[in-house]
Amino acid sequence: MKFRFRRQGNDPHREKIKQDLFAFNKTVEHGFPNQPSALAYDPKLQLMAFGTKSGAIKIYGAPGVEMTGLHKDTAAVTQIHFLYGQGRILSLLDDNTIHLWEIVQRENRSHLVEVHSFSLPGRPGIESTSATRVTVMLLKLSCDLLALGTEGGGVHFLELPTLTLLNKSLFQDEIMQSVPEEYKCGKSLGPVESLQEHPQDSDKILIGYSRGLVVLWDLNSRHVDNLFLGKQVGLCVSLLDVSQMVFDTRWGCGLNFWWFLLNSVCLSVFLIFVLFISGPFPCKAVNKILWRTTESGSPLVLFSGGMPRASYGDRHCLTILQDSSHVTLDFTSRVIDFFTIHCTDKDKEFDDPSALVVLLEEELVVIDLQMAGWPTVPAPYLAPLHSSAITCSCHISNVPPKLWERVISAGQQQCPLQNYENWPICGGKNLTLDPKQKELLLTGHEDGTVRFWDASGVSLKPLYKLSTANIFQTDCDHNDSLTQAGEEEWPPFRKVGCFDPYSDDPRLAIQKISVCKYSGKLVVAGTAGQVIVLVLSDEKSDHMIDVATVDLLQDREGFTWKGHDRLPPRSGSVVFAPGFQPVVLVQCMPPAAVTAVTLHAEWNLIAFGTSHGFGLFDYHRRSPVLARCTLHPNDSLAMEGPLSRVKSLKKSLRQSFRRIRKSRVSGKKRVQEHDAEVAPVQRRIEPRSADDSLSGVVRCLCFADTFLRDGTHHGPTMWAGTNSGSVYAYALDVPSQEKFSEQSVEALLGKEIQLMHRAPVVSIAVLDGRGNPLPEPYEVSRDLAKAPDMQGSHSVLIASEEQFKVFTLPKVSAKTKFKLTAHEGCRVRKVALSNFTSVSSEDYSENALVCLTNLGDIHVFSVPALRPQTRYDCIRKEDISGIASCVFTKTGQGLYLISPSEYERFSLSARVITEPLCRVDVERPHDLSTFRESNNSAFSAHFNLFLVVPARRSHHRLMEHTRHKQRASLLKLKVTILHSSPDRWKINVIFSPS
């Protein structure tokens, strides 16, 4: 018998089918990058780049154009710079390494790859490595030379793109020779704080030292052309007007010098710049200034910081000035960096900036500089998902066009200026096809809002925001008068951005969401036991909200609720904008957090559960149908609520004693069960104690039209699963649509299942006679799905934390089961039924059970046979938040939080993959090293190159075309001016292999 029933080898045909169905890929990261630390922009390619503290480089262009690179070492990116128009980017990490990245083409799409890295060696005779720590980087406009300023005051030069250190380093002793004696005082000049290139002579650079000295250094002659002396500490240099060589120096006290360099003669003008901005008070440092010329007349001045220390020292501000127009943008997180999108053509006289892009610690803000009032521009991606902390999420696949259009319309009425076509960063080309299906991602937040996102493609776009706070009376209602009073102060502040880390009331937090995509009904449930039924409306409404209370304790004696109070509803009518509007509020008593909720719009029923029990509510008649308490007599911990002060101490003590008790018992059991035969691919399951804390928590709920009373009559049923392994099945008597107002819904307990090992029930799903999941409400009646098989016997799939089990209906007899194979301590955390379509044929698909464990791995099983199909490592087991936040889609994809502001999207399907497919075309100068590689020394031909460039373009612009620095090490170069005129130069450049 042992040999007769042994497992057969892998079936090649089945393995081919599995390859066509299943494949694991992490595809795209939605949301705002966590902890951004650097910003760069390429005006030619119209690409924006972020660097993060985790060592990531993220490039963004037009919606759908995204690329990500990750440094090998997890070190923070401190600076990034684009090599203008070349599709190359330089990054400096806080481990003092410099890296060069390139956008390369593979399989007709663009990728970001690292090609070079460099670490600055220490200076001979100096032991301290801090002396060579890079403080600032200057990329010359010709993009052939990189200057590095260090803490030791030295300036080093690297050849690009090879990152080769040149033998022309500048040290402080050379500078000190030109410094007046009274300035030396035996002190060093301090670290290099700023480097700027002379706009009219590329062989000269401005070097700013922390002690206040600014040097104009000639690279060729290696001497100081000018000195600009200052006595303040904490210097930063900005080039304000490139045509007149006006630059600005700023110190930590908020004082500014503007320097005018006229015909090599330096004139300094002392300006208390912040005095003009903020009044005669001590101010914080101005961190960065941009000066942009405009055709309309007055220049546009933008700077960050500079606020009076006493009054506004804790604010994160950026000020915009032009003529009499003056706005101080007030953000809720720190300003990392900013840039303007403006004309960079050297032939044009004015900058004429069109947009301001500000990277903040928690969001990206774009300001339209051409419209009156400088309004914000909505971003089609990089939305701050965590504007209020995410508490739950829900994914809706294959959204009907009607629902999609109504949600879009509601969102546009909320934000009339939400037009993503005006997005100014539009580089690259999105190669992805328009999605065949629309997808929605709903996120519940700590402040009581539910946000709707377009999850159909790579860019996660905000569509609509629903707020539930206006339904309740809270102690922290917003006071608009305070905001208006603040706007009249000087400087004129304007609140900008949507990141708000503070919640009015923690009880408002959304815990569970359920949607019927065909009827436009929505149920959201929160932390204080509130369950709200909402209906999508296209018109504004002013009405009262019906309120009902459901007592889940059923007058059980001996229990006292010690948690938070319920949220009191508003009295009287409330005005609601077009969108989802509440029709009834159900308040669970006691007001514990809702742990499960489900909706059946065709039956007008909702079911909800907490740590105390579950209830069934008829929202059409506004009446409760059922309330059942699931508490164990010893489960007093459930009475304390999530905000109780004594809960954590009691729980930790109980868990400690329980671990000791279990370790002793399990030791004895191992001796007894040592000889018991266990399948090699399955592990033992130990029974749990019946008095475990929070055993009454309702983990899952579902509605199903199936056989429960007998095998010939099917009808509506409701199923509930608890933390103690109990499953309750109720037969429902639901009247027809015509009699809903006349007859009430009735519920009768049909079956009660107790799992042997009392493992928490994670999911319940009813399968039809063919083993397929039952269709959603309205799908069959509206001919949107095939009718379920009602001829064969149905079955119910119950997934606990430790095993999956299929029971036949209506007898509820065990049909098949699978004990999850994993390491010791494995528990099922998330379960979903997904449909997988074959890559080879769109007509072939299979339903499968997808399971995520607490170890972060994903298992896929066939349904209803529960045969293992494949397994993937997805999330780190230490990432508890990521595992808890995971949500699966019905097409074999998933999302989970990799940070408070980012979702990682992954695909288990070989066919359905949502990933960036983009192309960025770049024209790099030819790498002439190929001539040496492909030709031997006998080759002696000459190459003639004729360039015609405008005379206005300075010497460095010519060098940008010829790339002479890059080629000088390989080629002999001869440049001859053949003809000169006031309008153009004609130059003959002759190259000869060396």
Side-chain angles (χ1 to χ4, degrees):
M1 296 294 290
K2 179 178 179 181
F3 290 101
R4 181 177 179 181
F5 292 103
R6 69 181 180 181
R7 296 189 176 187
Q8 301 297 321
N10 293 335
D11 181 4
H13 179 65
R14 180 58 193 171
E15 291 300 316
K16 177 62 171 63
I17 293 177
K18 286 164 61 174
Q19 290 179 5
D20 291 342
L21 291 174
F22 311 113
F24 178 74
N25 292 286
K26 289 188 178 181
T27 55
V28 66
E29 294 172 0
H30 295 304
F32 184 78
N34 187 43
Q35 295 183 316
S37 53
L39 175 68
Y41 178 66
D42 189 325
K44 183 176 181 180
L45 298 180
Q46 295 182 298
L47 296 176
M48 173 177 60
F50 289 0
T52 70
K53 290 185 178 180
S54 62
I57 298 287
K58 294 174 175 285
I59 294 181
Y60 301 94
V65 177
E66 297 184 15
M67 283 170 279
T68 301
L70 192 63
H71 292 90
K72 296 177 182 178
D73 297 324
T74 307
V77 180
T78 57
Q79 296 182 46
I80 51 176
H81 301 272
F82 272 106
L83 275 67
Y84 179 81
Q86 296 185 21
R88 290 172 172 147
I89 191 166
L90 284 165
S91 61
L92 172 65
L93 306 187
D94 64 357
D95 63 1
N96 212 38
T97 59
I98 298 169
H99 304 260
L100 179 67
W101 299 78
E102 283 188 359
I103 297 175
V104 299
Q105 314 300 331
R106 293 177 184 168
E107 299 177 352
N108 199 34
R109 54 182 288 197
S110 296
H111 301 266
L112 185 65
V113 298
E114 182 180 348
V115 292
H116 293 296
S117 63
F118 174 83
S119 182
L120 195 64
R123 186 180 179 186
I126 299 180
E127 296 181 358
S128 175
T129 56
S130 63
T132 58
R133 184 169 187 84
V134 178
T135 55
V136 62
M137 295 182 7
L138 167 64
L139 176 63
K140 295 193 67 178
L141 294 175
S142 57
C143 295
D144 58 1
L145 194 68
L146 177 67
L148 307 175
T150 64
E151 280 191 11
V155 180
H156 306 272
F157 300 92
L158 301 182
E159 185 184 56
L160 293 176
T162 60
L163 293 183
T164 303
L165 181 63
L166 301 178
N167 189 21
K168 53 166 56 177
S169 297
L170 169 65
F171 297 101
Q172 285 197 13
D173 48 6
E174 292 186 67
I175 301 295
M176 294 295 283
Q177 296 175 8
S178 303
V179 174
E181 290 296 329
E182 64 273 12
Y183 194 83
K184 295 179 181 178
C185 301
K187 297 180 181 179
S188 68
L189 299 176
V192 178
E193 295 286 343
S194 185
L195 291 172
Q196 294 286 340
E197 181 179 356
H198 194 294
Q200 297 170 348
D201 190 346
S202 61
D203 290 326
K204 296 180 181 180
I205 60 173
L206 280 168
I207 308 172
Y209 295 92
S210 63
R211 276 188 58 205
L213 176 69
V214 180
V215 174
L216 183 60
W217 177 259
D218 191 306
L219 296 175
N220 289 336
S221 61
R222 296 188 67 85
H223 70 82
V224 175
D225 276 7
N226 287 98
L227 289 173
F228 312 97
L229 301 177
K231 297 182 179 180
Q232 300 293 336
V233 179
L235 174 71
C236 188
V237 179
S238 287
L239 198 61
L240 299 183
D241 191 336
V242 298
S243 61
Q244 299 298 327
M245 188 52 192
V246 181
F247 66 94
D248 164 70
T249 57
R250 303 179 300 285
W251 288 274
C253 61
L255 303 182
N256 286 56
F257 278 98
W258 283 6
W259 305 87
F260 299 84
L261 188 62
L262 304 174
N263 298 325
S264 301
V265 178
C266 174
L267 301 176
S268 65
V269 180
F270 178 69
L271 297 178
I272 306 179
F273 190 63
V274 182
L275 176 64
F276 169 70
I277 302 299
S278 306
F281 305 106
C283 299
K284 298 191 71 175
V286 176
N287 302 313
K288 181 177 180 178
I289 294 180
L290 294 181
W291 178 292
R292 299 289 181 249
T293 58
T294 61
E295 191 173 2
S296 60
S298 300
L300 193 73
V301 181
L302 310 99
F303 66 92
S304 60
M307 291 295 103
R309 289 183 180 274
S311 303
Y312 308 114
D314 59 340
R315 295 210 184 182
H316 311 289
C317 297
L318 189 149
T319 300
I320 309 176
L321 286 169
Q322 188 179 32
D323 282 337
S324 59
S325 300
H326 177 194
V327 171
T328 298
L329 306 177
D330 189 7
F331 305 108
T332 56
S333 59
R334 183 171 60 92
V335 177
I336 304 295
D337 201 355
F338 61 94
F339 63 85
T340 58
I341 296 175
H342 60 276
C343 177
T344 57
D345 189 348
K346 297 299 180 182
D347 294 335
K348 301 294 184 181
E349 185 177 354
F350 301 101
D351 298 323
D352 285 329
S354 59
L356 166 66
V357 180
V358 187
L359 174 62
L360 304 167
E361 203 166 35
E362 303 293 350
E363 61 184 320
L364 183 77
V365 173
V366 178
I367 305 295
D368 191 330
L369 296 177
Q370 292 185 329
M371 289 187 65
W374 299 322
T376 58
V377 179
Y381 48 77
L382 292 172
L385 304 175
H386 65 317
S387 52
S388 175
I390 296 176
T391 49
C392 67
S393 56
C394 171
H395 185 273
I396 307 173
S397 302
N398 197 13
V399 179
K402 185 177 181 180
L403 174 65
W404 184 264
E405 293 168 2
R406 296 177 70 187
V407 170
I408 295 291
S409 175
Q412 289 176 343
Q413 293 183 68
Q414 281 184 335
C415 303
L417 298 177
Q418 188 165 309
N419 184 3
Y420 298 124
E421 295 179 358
N422 296 330
W423 183 243
I425 301 168
C426 51
K429 182 180 180 181
N430 182 15
L431 302 178
T432 56
L433 301 176
D434 291 335
K436 296 180 180 179
Q437 299 180 355
K438 296 294 186 180
E439 298 180 18
L440 279 175
L441 177 67
L442 277 61
T443 54
H445 296 264
E446 191 179 40
D447 62 356
T449 59
V450 178
R451 298 167 196 255
F452 290 65
W453 309 88
D454 179 1
S456 311
V458 172
S459 301
L460 194 68
K461 291 186 290 188
L463 299 179
Y464 166 72
K465 182 176 77 171
L466 164 68
S467 177
T468 62
N470 58 342
I471 301 174
F472 305 101
Q473 295 178 0
T474 63
D475 297 332
C476 305
D477 289 338
H478 291 291
N479 192 341
D480 294 333
S481 61
L482 294 177
T483 305
Q484 294 173 0
E487 292 176 352
E488 297 176 0
E489 296 177 350
W490 184 265
F493 288 111
R494 183 203 295 171
K495 288 284 186 184
V496 179
C498 60
F499 175 72
D500 184 7
Y502 306 106
S503 173
D504 289 343
D505 193 320
R507 296 175 296 174
L508 290 170
I510 306 298
Q511 297 294 333
K512 298 294 175 181
I513 302 172
S514 182
V515 184
C516 176
K517 61 185 179 183
Y518 300 109
S519 64
K521 290 186 173 62
L522 169 69
V523 177
V524 296
T527 301
Q530 69 270 30
V531 182
I532 309 167
V533 182
L534 306 102
V535 176
L536 184 58
S537 174
D538 300 325
E539 303 294 334
K540 181 179 177 181
S541 176
D542 184 356
H543 64 268
M544 292 183 62
I545 304 169
D546 293 329
V547 181
T549 302
V550 176
D551 183 10
L552 298 179
L553 290 180
Q554 293 295 288
D555 301 324
R556 181 176 290 196
E557 298 179 357
F559 293 97
T560 305
W561 174 248
K562 301 176 184 177
H564 49 250
D565 296 332
R566 71 185 183 95
L567 280 165
R570 287 189 183 274
S571 57
S573 62
V574 182
V575 177
F576 299 101
F580 283 94
Q581 300 171 352
V583 292
V584 61
L585 165 64
V586 180
Q587 181 64 65
C588 301
M589 295 302 292
V594 176
T595 56
V597 71
T598 189
L599 161 71
H600 200 295
E602 209 166 2
W603 300 340
N604 292 333
L605 294 176
I606 59 170
F608 46 86
T610 69
S611 55
H612 304 92
F614 57 88
L616 182 64
F617 190 84
D618 181 350
Y619 61 83
H620 181 78
R621 293 174 58 89
R622 311 291 199 267
S623 63
V625 177
L626 169 70
R628 169 142 188 176
C629 180
T630 56
L631 287 179
H632 189 274
N634 297 334
D635 196 358
S636 59
L637 194 59
M639 294 294 98
E640 295 163 3
L643 304 182
S644 172
R645 297 179 180 178
V646 299
K647 175 184 175 183
S648 59
L649 177 61
K650 285 185 177 181
K651 185 175 182 180
S652 61
L653 288 173
R654 292 185 184 191
Q655 288 178 342
S656 299
F657 284 116
R658 191 170 294 117
R659 281 194 214 102
I660 296 173
R661 188 165 60 247
K662 282 186 176 181
S663 63
R664 292 173 180 172
V665 174
S666 62
K668 297 176 182 178
K669 286 186 177 180
R670 286 194 189 98
V671 177
Q672 297 173 1
E673 299 179 359
H674 184 268
D675 297 330
E677 185 176 352
V678 178
V681 294
Q682 300 179 359
R683 68 176 184 85
R684 293 188 183 89
I685 299 176
E686 294 184 1
R688 304 187 182 199
S689 173
D691 63 349
D692 274 359
S693 63
L694 301 178
S695 62
V697 174
V698 177
R699 295 286 295 271
C700 57
L701 294 159
C702 83
F703 290 108
D705 184 356
T706 187
F707 302 90
L708 187 62
R709 293 171 174 165
D710 55 59
T712 56
H713 302 89
H714 62 87
T717 62
M718 186 201 74
W719 300 72
T722 72
N723 232 21
S724 61
S726 299
V727 177
Y728 305 91
Y730 284 81
L732 307 179
D733 187 4
V734 179
S736 60
Q737 293 288 339
E738 296 79 12
K739 299 182 179 180
F740 252 117
S741 302
E742 303 173 6
Q743 299 180 11
S744 59
V745 179
E746 296 182 359
L748 178 66
L749 181 62
K751 305 288 182 182
E752 187 170 342
I753 307 169
Q754 179 62 59
L755 299 183
M756 185 180 300
H757 301 98
R758 299 185 177 275
V761 179
V762 177
S763 173
I764 301 173
V766 176
L767 309 176
D768 69 2
R770 301 188 188 94
N772 297 322
L774 297 182
E776 296 183 33
Y778 289 112
E779 280 191 331
V780 176
S781 60
R782 298 184 180 182
D783 295 328
L784 300 172
K786 186 184 296 185
D789 182 2
M790 291 297 184
Q791 303 301 319
S793 61
H794 283 196
S795 56
V796 58
L797 170 59
I798 299 176
S800 74
E801 283 192 353
E802 296 177 340
Q803 67 178 347
F804 310 117
K805 208 164 188 177
V806 175
F807 297 88
T808 60
L809 292 176
K811 293 184 178 180
V812 194
S813 58
K815 184 177 181 181
T816 184
K817 66 179 179 180
F818 184 89
K819 300 175 184 178
L820 191 66
T821 303
H823 302 292
E824 190 65 28
C826 176
R827 296 287 184 271
V828 176
R829 286 290 177 258
K830 300 284 181 175
V831 166
L833 288 170
S834 298
N835 185 265
F836 293 85
T837 304
S838 173
V839 174
S840 302
S841 174
E842 192 173 359
D843 297 330
Y844 182 79
S845 64
E846 289 184 6
N847 292 312
L849 177 69
V850 180
C851 157
L852 172 68
T853 74
N854 64 333
L855 301 180
D857 52 357
I858 292 180
H859 302 256
V860 181
F861 301 90
S862 63
V863 174
L866 296 182
R867 293 191 182 95
Q869 301 299 301
T870 186
R871 174 195 167 277
Y872 306 107
D873 291 323
C874 182
I875 311 175
R876 292 181 301 106
K877 64 180 180 181
E878 298 83 9
D879 188 1
I880 300 174
S881 174
I883 294 173
S885 63
C886 183
V887 57
F888 292 109
T889 76
K890 291 191 174 182
T891 57
Q893 297 188 84
L895 302 102
Y896 67 94
L897 288 172
I898 54 174
S899 73
S901 60
E902 290 174 290
Y903 275 104
E904 175 77 65
R905 190 174 190 134
F906 62 90
S907 177
L908 304 172
S909 170
R911 185 182 188 92
V912 183
I913 302 175
T914 304
E915 61 180 344
L917 296 174
C918 60
R919 184 178 180 89
V920 176
D921 294 320
V922 296
E923 296 180 1
R924 298 192 188 99
H926 293 293
D927 186 359
L928 298 183
S929 62
T930 55
F931 289 121
R932 295 192 64 185
E933 296 172 358
S934 60
N935 300 280
N936 54 33
S937 59
F939 181 75
S940 60
H942 287 68
F943 302 92
N944 292 319
L945 173 64
F946 292 88
L947 301 177
V948 179
V949 296
R952 296 181 192 174
R953 295 189 178 180
S954 57
H955 181 63
H956 71 267
R957 297 296 293 175
L958 172 63
M959 291 303 102
E960 182 180 351
H961 287 279
T962 60
R963 312 295 299 159
H964 76 287
K965 294 290 185 182
Q966 178 183 350
R967 305 169 186 178
S969 61
L970 302 176
L971 304 171
K972 294 178 181 178
L973 172 65
K974 182 178 179 181
V975 180
T976 306
I977 299 178
L978 301 180
H979 176 73
S980 178
S981 68
D983 296 329
R984 59 181 56 192
W985 296 338
K986 192 173 183 182
I987 301 171
N988 183 26
V989 185
I990 301 176
F991 300 99
S992 177
S994 57

